[in-house]
Every structure is written in C-alpha cells, then in structure tokens.
Amino acid sequence: AADSKREQFRRYLEKSGVLDTLTKVLVALYEEPEKPNSALDFLKHHLGASAPENPEIEALRLEVAEMKEKYEAVWEENKKLKAKVKVY
C-alpha cells in the first residue's frame, strides 16, 4: 500500500513537470564552475525564475519602467537648466 502511494506520487510529480524542473536546476548547479555559497539560494533563485509571473509583480515592473523614464526626462531637464544658469 505504501509503495503504491509512493508510486502514484512519483507519477504525479513526473506528469506535472516537477521532476523535470528539479532535475534541470540540479544539473545547472552541478555544472556551475564555481559552486555558490548557498546551494539552497541557488535553487530558490532558479526555481523562482521558472515560476509563472504574479500579475502584481508584472504591474510593479511596468511602474518601475515608467518611473525610470520619468527620472531620465527630469535628469535631462535638470542638466539643461543647470547649463542655462551655468551651475555645476
């Protein structure tokens, strides 16, 4: 009975792609020329990168991109105004 449950769980992990994903991340860790100080952080980073995007995170990324554009525009305007009054 326990072996049957274990086998069902293994098939579930295989069917859902978990085993393949874990294998790829572990192979990537194995192939790292310089092993990271924290293997767990390496796994978290690489597994997190393959997770589906949270819509809130995507919205924040867009907001950051917009803010960067506004910052650049204000920076350029600031440089032009300084040049007009010759302040450095």
Side-chain angles (χ1 to χ4, degrees), residues 40-71:
L40 187 56
D41 285 344
F42 180 91
L43 294 174
K44 286 179 184 178
H45 173 75
H46 283 78
L47 287 174
S50 64
E53 268 301 307
N54 179 336
E56 188 175 325
I57 292 174
E58 184 56 31
L60 290 171
R61 286 184 207 273
L62 290 172
E63 187 177 346
V64 166
E66 288 173 13
M67 292 296 157
K68 284 181 179 178
E69 285 180 25
K70 287 179 182 178
Y71 170 81

Side-chain angles (χ1 to χ4, degrees), residues 8-25:
Q8 286 176 346
F9 186 66
R10 187 196 61 74
R11 282 196 304 264
Y12 162 74
L13 292 176
E14 190 173 324
K15 184 178 177 183
S16 62
V18 171
L19 290 179
D20 188 46
T21 301
L22 284 173
T23 300
K24 287 179 183 176
V25 173

